[in-house]
Amino acid sequence: MHGLKRERGILFVISGPSGVGKNSVLTQLLKEVPGLCYSVSATTRPPRTGEVDGVNYFFMSKEEFLRKVGTGDFLEHEEYVGNLYGTPRGYVEEKLGEGYDIAMDIECRGAAQIKRMMPEAVLIFLTPPSIEDLKARLLGRSTDSPEVIEKRIRKAEVEMGEMYKYDYYVVNDELELAIEDIKKIMWAERLKVARLAKPSVTK
Ligand code: 5GP
């Protein structure tokens, strides 16, 4: 035992255009990386088939969401293709304070807000090998209506340009390789000296 302890957990923000595979990557990371928790967001979007309240999202009405905005319950919140999404503040602060690392899947403006508030957060952009590849994935998954898919494709084209504001990029061509890349980023960030708690006695 080396006795070195980190001051706080690390916040890993993962963004990327709709359909790039953030869910699959995160599901696997949570199984494989010890000490990593997931921040479940709140949303006013209706659940998709198979989505579970409290697991995928906290699903709520617009009224409830706006009430929580008013009481400062969100670390950040944004509108995305007609729905509201927000990161519950309490869970994130509690887990980071306990030394757990947190992964969250949020869009680019929310990620930029987090980075302004917490410069030590690590922003990872998951990108498809090409926009054509992304379109094919979105059309293939058919969990949304054609109009929503069209909106998400247009949004994705804008989002791809946001990558340059991130700390790291990971290409999701093959899922396993993308996961390995993110694990390496997490490991390196965990070993940063700047994140260590200062020793209480110095010579
Ligand atoms: P979806 O409807 O496909 O689940 O998510 C749509 C977008 O909302 C995705 O880009 C996702 O990353 C983003 N998102 C999910 N939760 C949050 C959140 O709490 N805050 C922000 N800013 N974006 C979120």
Side-chain angles (χ1 to χ4, degrees), residues 14-15 20 25 123-129 163 166 168-175 177-183 185:
I14 302 190
S15 304
V20 72
V25 164
L123 269 51
I124 303 172
F125 192 91
L126 195 63
T127 175
M163 185 176 78
Y166 280 66
Y168 296 94
Y169 74 92
V170 171
V171 182
N172 189 14
D173 193 359
E174 274 185 52
L175 184 66
L177 297 181
I179 291 165
E180 283 311 309
D181 278 352
I182 298 179
K183 279 162 68 175
I185 294 167

Side-chain angles (χ1 to χ4, degrees), residues 22 41 45 48 57 76 85-87 105-107 152:
K22 285 168 289 176
S41 294
R45 164 171 82 58
R48 294 187 183 124
Y57 281 105
E76 61 72 42
Y85 295 82
T87 304
D105 160 6
I106 69 175
E107 53 68 63
R152 282 174 182 255

